[in-house]
Amino acid sequence: MPHSLETRVLLEGAEDPRLATLQGYKDIVGGYATLERAYRDMEQDEVLKSLEDSGLRGRGGAGFSMGKKASFLPRGDMPKYLCCNADESEPGAFKDRELMQRNPHQLVEGIAIAALAAGAGHAFIFIRGEYDSQADVLDAAVAEAYEAGYLGKDILGTHRDLELVVHRGAGAYICGEETALLDALEGKRGNPRLKPPFPAVQGLYGGPTLINNVETLSNVPRIVANGADWFRQWGTEQSPGTKVVSISGGVRRPGNYEISLGLPTRELIYELAGGPLPGRTVKAIYPGGSSSPVLTAAEAMDLPYSFEAMAGAGSMLGSGSVIVADNTVSIPHMALRTARFYHHESCGKCAPCREGTNWTVKMLERVVRGEATPMDLDIISSVQENIMGHCLCVLGDSMAMPVAAMVRKFRGEFEQVMAEAAEGIDPHVVVDAPVETLGAAT
Amino acid sequence: MSEKREVTLTIDGREVIATEGQMLHDAAREGDVEIPVFCYEPKLGAPVGACRMCLVEIEGIPKLQTSCSTPVRDGMVVHTRTEQVKKAQNAVVEFLLVNHPLDCPVCDKGGECPLQDITTGWGPGKSRVIDEKRHFEKPIELSPLVAIDRERCILCYRCVRFSQEISEDSQLQLLERGDRTYVGTFDDRPYISPFQGNITDICPVGALTNYTYRFRARPWDIEQAGSVCTLCPSQCNVSFTVRDEKVKRVIARDNHDVDDGWLCDKGRYGFEMFDAPERVTEPRLKGGTKVSYEAAIEKAAAGLGARDGRVAAIVGDASNEEGFLVQEILRGALHSTDIDSRPAGGPGIGTILELSDPARQAKVADIDEADAILVLGTDPMGSSPILDLRIRKAIRRNGARLVVATERPTALDGGAEAIARYAPGQATHFIGEMTAAVRGAENVATPAAETLRDAGKVVVVWGERIGAAATDALVRLGDALGVTEADGAGLLEIPEATNARGLREAGVIPDAGPGLAALAGGRATEEIRQALIDGDLDGVILVGVDPLRDFGDTAAWTKALDAAEFVVAFSTFTTATAAKADVLFPLETHAEKDGTVTHPDGRLQRVRPAAGRPGDIRPGWQTLANLSLAIGHDTGVTSQPTAFTALTSAIPFYASITDADIGGRGVRWQETESASSLPSSTASAGSPASPADAPSSAADAGADSQDTQRERASGESVPVAGANTTLALGTYKDIWSGPITELNPPLKFLQPSQHLELSPEDADRLSIATGDKVRVTQGAGSIEATALIKERTPEGVCFLAEGIPGANANSLLNGHQVRVGVEKLSEVPA
């Protein structure tokens, strides 16, 4: 049973495995009724308006208004595309996996309706290669939807067409960046493109393209069915709706929880996720995936979990993925682990990211080996500053922001680890305690 | 071209006028504001924004923007020197040096390195990096001509973009990812491209260096001397790197109107031959005896003067002034009219004048803006490589539609919307059909004509090889395509010789003197040959030509030169032809010569002396003027400037052009006030074309479809028995045949061997596989070749390269369209 603090909208009925089938989706949550209505009775502008009014913000990381993004696509007869970004690769994020696994038809229906808003005739789901079984689930769902006439030519006899293709990525984090995703989809090396032109103007194969995250698109059917006011009953003024939050790290019940945005962070971590393991305390959290600047427990716990509150605290809600670091975690090691990830995943196209991630890793390695001095911490901070705002895409900033925050907020610990490592003391405090794991929706 | 709006913006407080849509970086440069950058190079097309060096602050935009990718807007206020920008510039330089070895003292680029310059100009001035840098094996061969040092590479994308977007071979790729990224090729195969040297010009660090220049000189040892490459009709602008009077390197000297800033590897690496042992370095007599200039001139003047009225001249590689002086000797001193500059004769003066009409003339830059391009009877990759790149650019960036109509498959076929193949020797017929098709007729040329009909601005890039009769037909085709009506449309010739246009305009043709002034017709090249054989002519002057190698029908030329009583030759290298000379004078190379040449589009360009002349070589104008004087005709030429003045005074449409007008970029005479002095074509029309180039008797047969090919193949009467075992022979000049690969050691690996190109159908019928050794026979002549099955070769036709030593296709030619027998000698080893 869902926890009482959860608000199950996207995950409604997720306990029932039949939801993944077309018939189950129809029976359990009344699926595809909105698609039928939208395709038969609604014009592009009507769908677009309902999305704009809802205030739905992108769930992939940037939090940009979905309706507004769709409205940027030019009108006209040129080929237009919709891409669903299912390349969920951010460390800490695993909500799209669950949404696709348990309710693939919700996504298919969302894509079909969003395509109407964007005027797109061809849609793609770009799913990360590692999500193999989820891609199988999507393949099956898409086949069912074609069979039922919800996709393909002349959908439901309305003279409206939509082709939907599931494309499996080859496993590069950078392909979650929207323009790199487009290049990868076109069969090229997955490198980010210069913006402008933005994908809404010149995207896939040079055509106007709407790119949205899985969770964003999964919200579309219900918003179009029930209207903006219904959607705005949850969340805050600036962060309307519910959000599936992935919680991982040092908590008793890591997993996905769907909440009304604005829930106090303390309740999210202590009530839903069960708080830290016995005998431990929370030291810091990444509030929105590994690219968000870390917040100390003191900073984070009393904040409402919303886009605006996290931004106000100098961090971000991002994809809504909370990673909890308890008091056994060495922050310098966590910084190094984070930097290594981004160094490994940097595409190498622009200099600040390519060289900045590599240099930061080398410096942090010296820190944890005890071969650094406090002056190196200043250089690390300065290098993060030099990366931020100077890169071609946000990957460089994704490392610079959390690393800079860690050095700033935990400088004492960095100096201590450096000094202890120089003396041969292992900075890890590993507490071996049994972990009670309960997935949210299982 | 529609005029683009001007916009005004402010950069660092200066007002800058720019063109709408222009990138901020270019606008700043034109407004004298320098913004440092590595990856951006407008020649390479759209910006990539990879290096991040050109970040600037634009008022109203919170984040810094890359100036290379930001189009200018009216009223934009830009700052390039604020604290915020300086911090970003320092940061990017520091990042680029994190993995750069800083081995400037041993790096060839040191002293002329953008990374060095930008580091000292915009960098933080000190390094904070103490960590290990990345390591690669270095240097390694990217190709036999270019070395790559991957540690120095700053991954700016320039070379990769060149390979993908300019030469379009896509061989260079970025492999791996992040700071492990490196430039390489698939499976480490050598980078093979006739344009590869360009990547060493555009590399902003010492990562890509020429093997021909590694450790040869430092920037403070050298001088740069601008000149023009005369190795092909492209006449690319080059800069010679000279150390101690010797050329050590050739680099591009951007001229948008000529070469777009690129060079082919022939022009770039073909300089070691300037000092080859085969160089003729002083006057010689038959047998090789070296003599003084004075003695040589005396002997030549005596020999020629004694044959007054019975001497001919054939000119190839020569400047306008040299050509002018040769015709002065012929017409003024020796009272002869038998002079030509075309290997197989050419159209009459009437047609030449029609083609010279400025309204019919396309200039090189017109290709960029053309709506459609017709490549006719030539493969620019072999005949004028830089135009191959230019045509690719027009298709890629401007969406130009390309039609290729040739005998032999071309390198441009892949980008063509329509391809038409006509049988060797059938150009005249095909062009006639095409003209009719453009006007609406249905025939073999219709598919190609449909792309060109009503296409807007059409540029026709055509080869002199189509022959005299076809050139007459071409004028009609051009008119049908409306080239005279549209600005930016026209015909652009790719002649056989580099300075063909200049020589014709200087009067080195039988039926016109300087300035294309019609004269009573003398003999054209092939008639001169026949007259020598028949004893109607006794002497011949050969300037910069090697008929025994480069002209068709080697046997007849041998006979002609043996029959000639007195031969005076001017040659750069010792050749079979030069060995026949009674008096042999050296010629200067384009690194040594002072003189003008005329580009096929009418641009006069100046070849300037850059290097010292080896041995006792004197300027061509001097030798020719002295020779003329010795025979008794004073040309008044006493220096290069007087030679130039003599030339421009003799050619009315050059009359107003001064050396200063030519400057470093040249000037098209059509764009000067003298242009109106071109004789009108109607006044002199009707001069006969050389009979050797008249269309052959089978010209009425179809030439395009394979069906027609087959009909022709079996229907024509042929000297070799068994028609279905013979193939119509087409010949071509390989880009790498000749002294370029024989006398330049670094290019030796490119020396071509003879290949018989044939269609898969014929190969199947003759049981020939690629790699088989075959004997190709025509009449009494035969040569051996390696079979090469080539898709897109029409059935019934085969091709051989000209000028291949020991297997020269010219030895199979006889002035008519020939058919050859093919016999398999041995199979390719399994």
Side-chain angles (χ1 to χ4, degrees), chain B residues 23-312:
Chain B
M23 291 305 166
L24 179 52
H25 191 273
D26 298 325
R29 195 182 51 232
E30 284 166 25
D32 274 346
V33 178
E34 190 177 4
I35 301 174
V37 76
F38 294 105
C39 65
Y40 185 53
E41 168 51 70
K43 287 193 288 186
L44 291 170
V48 286
C51 75
R52 316 306 289 174
M53 191 66 229
C54 68
L55 289 168
V56 295
E57 196 178 322
I58 301 171
E59 286 187 9
I61 304 177
K63 275 176 75 173
L64 299 182
Q65 301 292 309
T66 46
S67 62
C68 69
S69 65
T70 307
V72 292
R73 273 182 296 103
D74 204 26
M76 202 179 227
V77 181
V78 183
H79 303 284
T80 77
R81 283 157 198 276
T82 58
E83 279 311 308
Q84 197 193 359
V85 176
K86 275 188 191 159
K87 190 169 172 247
Q89 290 168 338
N90 280 344
V92 173
V93 167
E94 187 176 42
F95 284 134
L96 288 171
L97 297 181
V98 165
N99 266 321
H100 185 81
L102 291 168
D103 59 344
C104 311
V106 296
C107 176
D108 276 304
K109 200 82 173 183
E112 52 178 31
C113 172
L115 180 60
Q116 223 176 21
D117 294 346
I118 291 175
T119 298
T120 44
W122 286 269
K126 62 178 196 303
S127 173
R128 301 187 289 177
V129 181
I130 58 166
D131 299 277
E132 181 80 6
K133 304 194 175 205
R134 67 181 189 157
H135 291 294
F136 285 104
E137 191 190 335
K138 65 179 244 179
I140 54 173
E141 270 193 25
L142 187 64
S143 81
L145 293 168
V146 177
I148 183 166
D149 181 327
R150 290 174 174 145
E151 292 183 357
R152 291 178 187 156
C153 175
I154 58 165
L155 299 169
C156 71
Y157 275 67
R158 283 186 174 196
C159 55
V160 173
R161 284 159 68 207
F162 177 83
S163 167
Q164 291 176 355
E165 300 191 18
I166 305 298
S167 65
E168 296 189 337
D169 54 60
S170 288
Q171 292 176 63
L172 291 187
Q173 298 287 344
L174 288 161
L175 302 158
E176 269 294 342
R177 168 171 99 179
D179 67 331
R180 286 87 63 210
T181 310
Y182 64 92
V183 170
T185 56
F186 173 72
D187 207 19
D188 281 339
R189 291 176 194 178
Y191 177 41
I192 298 298
S193 153
F195 302 104
Q196 57 176 285
N198 288 298
I199 63 174
T200 63
D201 271 0
I202 55 176
C203 180
V205 298
L208 297 168
T209 47
N210 293 307
Y211 276 111
T212 50
Y213 188 61
R214 280 175 71 83
F215 311 123
R216 298 295 203 284
R218 306 309 309 253
W220 46 90
D221 300 325
I222 59 172
E223 285 176 295
Q224 291 296 130
S227 189
V228 170
C229 172
T230 59
L231 294 176
C232 89
S234 306
Q235 295 186 9
C236 297
N237 291 193
V238 295
S239 183
F240 289 110
T241 298
V242 180
R243 180 182 188 181
D244 301 336
E245 300 254 299
K246 300 258 187 257
V247 175
K248 295 291 170 191
R249 179 174 68 171
V250 184
I251 56 179
R253 185 165 60 84
D254 286 25
N255 188 343
H256 173 78
D257 293 318
V258 177
D259 49 43
D260 220 9
W262 306 120
L263 270 190
C264 76
D265 291 347
K266 203 162 142 177
R268 182 182 303 272
Y269 297 111
F271 63 88
E272 293 191 13
M273 64 183 178
F274 300 164
D275 285 312
E278 290 82 355
R279 190 77 198 270
V280 179
T281 51
E282 64 291 296
R284 294 173 191 174
L285 303 182
K286 203 168 206 164
T289 323
K290 296 173 181 180
V291 291
S292 71
Y293 263 91
E294 291 68 24
I297 287 173
E298 196 182 324
K299 184 165 167 60
L304 294 171
R307 293 168 181 82
D308 193 17
R310 295 176 64 80
V311 175

Side-chain angles (χ1 to χ4, degrees), chain B residues 398-671:
Chain B
N398 197 39
R401 306 166 75 187
L402 174 69
V403 176
V404 175
T406 53
E407 299 172 354
R408 180 171 171 260
T410 73
L412 285 167
D413 283 7
E417 202 170 285
I419 299 171
R421 291 274 116 82
Y422 54 82
Q426 296 305 303
T428 313
H429 174 70
F430 177 79
I431 295 169
E433 293 288 276
M434 188 134 182
T435 309
V438 168
R439 297 208 155 107
E442 286 286 326
N443 61 34
V444 288
T446 300
E450 270 170 359
T451 302
L452 300 171
R453 196 187 296 145
D454 305 321
K457 287 176 286 186
V458 180
V459 171
V460 182
V461 177
W462 62 283
E464 183 186 356
R465 308 207 131 209
I466 58 175
T471 309
D472 296 335
L474 173 73
V475 176
R476 307 285 88 77
L477 173 61
D479 292 351
L481 292 169
V483 298
T484 53
E485 288 139 41
D487 253 7
L491 312 176
L492 180 60
E493 181 184 3
I494 300 182
E496 292 294 290
T498 299
N499 189 30
R501 179 165 194 146
L503 293 176
R504 289 175 213 161
E505 292 176 349
V508 191
I509 39 176
D511 53 356
L516 301 177
L519 296 174
R523 292 184 175 93
T525 302
E526 292 180 339
E527 296 163 298
I528 292 171
R529 183 186 69 200
Q530 196 53 45
L532 285 169
I533 295 171
D534 295 344
D536 295 336
L537 285 172
D538 299 333
V540 64
I541 305 173
L542 302 169
V543 182
V545 288
D546 185 3
L548 295 183
R549 174 173 191 150
D550 297 331
F551 292 3
D553 203 346
T554 315
W557 277 107
T558 309
K559 213 191 253 180
L561 293 184
D562 287 342
E565 291 171 11
F566 194 71
V567 179
V568 175
F570 289 72
S571 183
T572 318
F573 303 109
T574 51
T575 61
T577 303
K580 303 263 185 202
D582 295 281
V583 183
L584 173 63
F585 289 101
L587 273 185
E588 300 156 289
T589 65
H590 58 289
E592 299 144 13
K593 189 176 284 188
D594 193 352
T596 60
V597 290
T598 306
H599 187 277
D601 76 358
R603 176 174 301 275
L604 268 78
Q605 304 204 89
R606 176 131 178 247
V607 182
R608 286 178 164 76
R613 299 184 201 92
D616 181 23
I617 299 178
R618 295 188 191 170
W621 63 261
Q622 191 181 4
T623 312
L624 289 165
N626 287 346
L627 179 58
S628 186
L629 197 58
I631 303 171
H633 175 69
D634 187 358
T635 56
V637 169
T638 56
S639 62
Q640 166 57 28
T642 52
F644 178 68
T645 311
L647 173 83
T648 53
S649 345
I651 303 175
F653 49 92
Y654 286 7
S656 69
I657 298 172
T658 65
D659 193 45
D661 294 336
I662 295 173
R665 319 218 140 246
V667 62
R668 293 183 66 230
W669 63 256
Q670 294 95 330
E671 289 158 16

